[in-house]
């Protein structure tokens, strides 16, 4: 369904962008300030719409090559994913380790989404990732992403998983509001539990519970 939307809407959006660029090149310098501003708004809106469409398309393709692997060290996999993030002032720390059955590429995408959320929304760009095997659940591996917030209210968690919702403080970078939607889809593909809570210190925690290695 999402792939069909992307296919049907992508072409007309590209036409709008192309025509607006043509107008800008041909008559842009001769336009009055207000007309120039309106033309720029058309270009910006078309670019945003195209990004939204491709974002939905990417989510639709997430499970197309789903492959579980027996990962011996989730800490190493997490550190590897963090190392591939674009350079920023985000400070990260991985605590603990366990073995789990995950799709490495999808897990990397999950780490990137949650790290990006911390970078865009947290008042302090520090992300701590705890990896543990709960004592009472030998068949589970829990990965918890903790940042100092403010993020959003826990009661808004169901809304946060919907496409294009950007809750809480304004992000420092442009965001489509698809990060947590992608996280939820990745958790669903793994049949993993996904939750959100606040610590006593007020930190926001997003947790995913994967299946341990057999």
């Amino acid at each position: 369904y999402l792939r069909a939307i992307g296919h049907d809407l992508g072409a007309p959006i590209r036409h709008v962008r192309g025509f607006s660029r043509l107008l800008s090149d041909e008559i842009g310098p001769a336009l009055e300030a207000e007309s120039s501003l309106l033309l720029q708004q058309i270009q910006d809106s078309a670019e945003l719409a195209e990004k939204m469409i491709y974002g939905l398309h990417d989510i639709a393709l997430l499970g197309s090559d789903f492959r579980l692997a027996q990962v011996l060290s989730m800490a190493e996999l997490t550190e590897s994913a963090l190392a591939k993030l674009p350079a920023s002032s985000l400070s990260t720390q991985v605590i603990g380790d366990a073995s789990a059955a995950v799709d490495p590429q999808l897990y990397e995408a999950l780490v990137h989404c949650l790290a990006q959320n911390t970078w865009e929304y947290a008042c302090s760009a520090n992300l701590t990732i705890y990896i543990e095997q709960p004592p009472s659940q030998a068949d589970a591996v829990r990965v918890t992403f903790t940042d100092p917030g403010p993020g959003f209210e826990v009661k808004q968690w169901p809304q946060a998983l919907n496409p294009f919702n950007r809750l809480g403080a304004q992000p420092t970078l442009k965001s489509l509001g698809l990060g947590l939607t992608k996280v939820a889809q990745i958790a669903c593909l793994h049949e993993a539990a996904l939750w959100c809570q606040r610590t006593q210190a007020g930190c926001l925690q997003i947790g995913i519970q994967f299946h341990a290695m057999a």
Side-chain angles (χ1 to χ4, degrees), residues 154-171:
V154 173
K155 64 182 179 182
Q156 296 176 301
W157 175 241
Q159 297 171 254
L161 300 179
N162 292 329
F164 310 123
N165 270 339
R166 294 185 295 174
L167 305 175
Q170 290 296 318

Side-chain angles (χ1 to χ4, degrees), residues 126-144:
N126 297 299
L127 176 65
T128 303
I129 303 171
Y130 298 93
I131 302 172
E132 61 181 341
Q133 192 164 19
S136 60
Q137 294 177 281
D139 61 343
V141 172
R142 188 175 298 163
V143 184
T144 308

Side-chain angles (χ1 to χ4, degrees), residues 45-184:
S45 296
E47 182 180 356
L48 177 61
E50 192 171 30
K51 287 181 179 179
M52 293 168 71
I53 290 168
Y54 286 136
L56 288 175
H57 187 263
D58 288 345
I59 291 175
L61 292 176
L62 276 177
S64 60
D65 193 27
F66 179 68
R67 295 181 182 179
L68 284 179
Q70 301 294 319
V71 176
L72 297 177
S73 174
M74 288 294 287
E76 288 184 7
L77 182 60
T78 303
E79 293 279 12
S80 175
L82 292 171
K84 296 177 184 177
L85 288 169
S88 71
S89 60
L90 178 66
S91 174
T92 61
Q93 183 179 16
V94 179
I95 299 176
D97 199 6
S99 302
V102 299
D103 180 310
Q105 289 188 334
L106 288 183
Y107 180 76
E108 180 177 295
L110 181 147
V111 171
H112 286 182
C113 288
L114 293 175
Q116 183 74 4
N117 270 14
T118 297
W119 167 239
E120 291 187 355
Y121 289 96
C123 55
S124 176
N126 297 299
L127 176 65
T128 303
I129 303 171
Y130 298 93
I131 302 172
E132 61 181 341
Q133 192 164 19
S136 60
Q137 294 177 281
D139 61 343
V141 172
R142 188 175 298 163
V143 184
T144 308
F145 295 76
T146 305
D147 68 51
F152 49 84
E153 296 297 328
V154 173
K155 64 182 179 182
Q156 296 176 301
W157 175 241
Q159 297 171 254
L161 300 179
N162 292 329
F164 310 123
N165 270 339
R166 294 185 295 174
L167 305 175
Q170 290 296 318
T172 56
L173 305 172
K174 287 185 178 180
S175 171
L176 293 178
L178 286 174
L180 289 178
T181 305
K182 185 179 289 188
V183 167

